[in-house]
Amino acid sequence: KKPISARLGDVVKNGDLITTQANGKALLITKSGDQFYAASSSSLKFEPSPPNNSKLSLFYGKLRTIFSSTDKDRKLQVKSGTAVMGVRGTDFSVDHDDKAKATEVTVVRGAIDMANDKKPAAVVNSGETAKSDGKSTQVAKAAEEQFSKIKGISNIAKPAQDALPADMMSGLNGIETKAAESSTKDIKKYVPGFDPGKLGIPAGNLDSINNAAMDLLTKALPAVPGMDKLKGGAPNLQDA
């Protein structure tokens, strides 16, 4: 299948391979409100899967995923070269270095199960980082630098409102507004009283909402020396 350059508003289907260049990022939003931020120099694919049981492969690079937990029957599995992450509703990032055969996961809110071929799944909770080399998984408290990296992934420049025909831009804005509402509802489970308006965040500003919640959840986390020395251890886009 011949690669094409993606444009604002393009529809992504199951089986499509998405690759970002060294100077590019991508934000994928489903009609369910789930969000997938692909960092520069990343490659991923949404695999064909039955409804409510979605799969995503990250071949290399970094990805921030915000998967809605409002429907408990929905599941997401994210697979890298060295680990498989089971998700029911959470905000987390995955960083896979295919050359080093290493995967790092950091959870902002919620929890995931992280497994590999050799060991049973390890639970990674809010504020924790896990590393896997495919043979073992190590979980530790996340350091501030982990969350700074996640912010870098999810800062996406906003398009001009005339970048698309009015009807297409209206539809795109509607999807982003729904995603912002979904994120806000989920954030309130962890930060009661969370109100983007009181924080000066414009209505529907998705990136600012997610990063403000991260600040509130992690501002008290101390730096953890030696985190860089740790070793070893999708939605169904038919509705997009």
Side-chain angles (χ1 to χ4, degrees):
K1 193 174 180 179
K2 186 177 179 180
I4 62 172
S5 296
R7 298 175 299 175
L8 179 67
D10 279 353
V11 175
V12 177
K13 299 178 181 179
N14 282 329
D16 286 348
L17 178 67
I18 300 142
T19 302
T20 57
Q21 302 301 315
N23 61 345
K25 299 179 185 178
L27 169 58
L28 309 171
I29 306 175
T30 72
K31 290 182 179 179
S32 301
D34 303 316
Q35 304 137 53
F36 300 84
Y37 293 86
S40 58
S41 301
S42 299
S43 182
L44 59 130
K45 181 168 70 172
F46 294 98
E47 306 287 359
S49 55
N52 295 331
N53 191 16
S54 306
K55 296 181 180 180
L56 184 156
S57 295
L58 178 65
F59 300 108
Y60 59 82
K62 303 179 182 68
L63 177 73
R64 180 182 185 181
T65 298
I66 299 170
F67 188 67
S68 173
S69 61
T70 54
D71 185 345
K72 294 183 179 179
D73 292 330
R74 298 177 66 235
K75 299 177 183 178
L76 170 67
Q77 182 186 88
V78 179
K79 185 177 182 180
S80 71
T82 57
V84 177
M85 284 65 71
V87 184
R88 285 184 177 270
T90 186
D91 177 355
F92 71 104
S93 73
V94 183
D95 183 349
H96 178 62
D97 185 335
D98 193 51
K99 291 183 179 180
K101 302 301 179 186
T103 300
E104 177 182 287
V105 172
T106 301
V107 178
V108 177
R109 60 180 187 271
I112 66 168
D113 296 325
M114 186 176 186
N116 55 56
D117 293 337
K118 306 297 181 181
K119 299 288 184 180
V123 178
V124 189
N125 294 298
S126 298
E128 292 183 336
T129 290
K131 290 192 176 185
S132 174
D133 60 1
K135 299 177 182 179
S136 63
T137 301
Q138 295 185 19
V139 181
K141 191 170 183 178
E144 288 186 16
E145 43 266 45
Q146 261 78 27
F147 297 107
S148 295
K149 289 179 182 178
I150 296 174
K151 273 191 174 182
I153 296 173
S154 49
N155 286 328
I156 304 276
K158 297 295 178 188
Q161 287 300 301
D162 60 356
L164 290 174
D167 58 337
M168 292 182 65
M169 184 57 75
S170 176
L172 200 63
N173 288 338
I175 291 173
E176 186 165 1
T177 296
K178 181 172 181 179
E181 291 171 350
S182 176
S183 281
T184 299
K185 183 176 180 180
D186 188 68
I187 290 165
K188 286 181 178 180
K189 296 177 183 178
Y190 305 92
V191 186
F194 179 77
D195 186 338
K198 291 182 178 179
L199 295 172
I201 299 172
N205 193 315
L206 190 57
D207 303 350
S208 295
I209 288 171
N210 289 324
N211 286 336
M214 186 190 306
D215 287 340
L216 291 170
L217 287 164
T218 63
K219 64 182 180 180
L221 284 175
V224 181
M227 280 296 297
D228 58 335
K229 297 179 181 179
L230 269 177
K231 294 184 179 178
N236 191 336
L237 290 195
Q238 292 172 352
D239 69 346

